Amino acid sequence: MACNSLFESEGPIVVMQRVTLIYLTSYLFLGGLGLLVFPDLALRLLLSNGSYGAVMPRVVGMFMLVLSGFIFQFVYRRDYRYYAYAVFARSFIVLVLTALYFSTTDPLFLVLDAIVLVGLLPSIYVLAIRREPSSEH
């Protein structure tokens, strides 16, 4: 009888890829939903002291929700072909968020940096060990 576990018969690298992508999907979904439905509350919870209007947080939330659906499909299909690009993209996001913090001093950008980095750092580790040459021939 086959077990339909989330991590059945997968090696530790694949499990870690899966966990980091599940984390990515989760914060995109929850953050996107919050920004779309309750933008003022979501921005307060993210410690924002800036003014972003009534529309832009909802637009950002919509894109986050849609992107979470795409990432979920990669996890569901166990398709990790774009994992390296996901690491590159999140690295770029961290750079931009940091630059935005220094130009606005809105703590929102530091909070978002922290949320992204919690998943990005293990992802970088996974990429590093995945690319190590094998000692076996």
Side-chain angles (χ1 to χ4, degrees):
M1 186 164 165
C3 175
N4 288 329
S5 166
L6 213 56
F7 307 109
E8 72 180 39
S9 70
E10 295 178 337
I13 292 175
V14 174
V15 169
M16 194 64 173
Q17 284 178 312
R18 211 167 161 70
V19 167
T20 59
L21 289 178
I22 289 170
Y23 174 74
L24 174 59
T25 300
S26 299
Y27 75 71
L28 285 171
F29 179 80
L30 293 173
L33 188 63
L35 287 170
L36 184 64
V37 180
F38 304 109
D40 293 332
L41 175 63
L43 289 170
R44 271 196 317 272
L45 289 172
L46 294 168
L47 305 180
S48 175
N49 64 14
S51 176
Y52 299 99
V55 176
M56 282 311 292
R58 287 187 165 99
V59 171
V60 170
M62 173 195 62
F63 280 110
M64 289 173 67
L65 277 171
V66 170
L67 187 56
S68 75
F70 278 111
I71 303 299
F72 175 77
Q73 288 303 310
F74 293 135
V75 173
Y76 180 74
R77 304 277 182 213
R78 291 175 164 82
D79 183 354
Y80 306 111
R81 290 178 291 177
Y82 305 106
Y83 192 79
Y85 181 75
V87 171
F88 170 77
R90 287 180 287 162
S91 299
F92 176 72
I93 288 168
V94 167
L95 289 173
V96 171
L97 289 172
T98 303
L100 287 171
Y101 170 74
F102 284 116
S103 70
T104 66
T105 66
D106 187 344
L108 164 73
F109 299 110
L110 290 180
V111 173
L112 293 175
D113 257 348
I115 291 168
V116 174
L117 281 168
V118 164
L120 178 59
L121 295 176
S123 297
I124 291 170
Y125 173 74
V126 166
L127 268 187
I129 63 172
R130 189 175 83 171
R131 293 179 187 262
E132 282 182 0
S134 175
S135 60
E136 299 175 17
H137 295 288

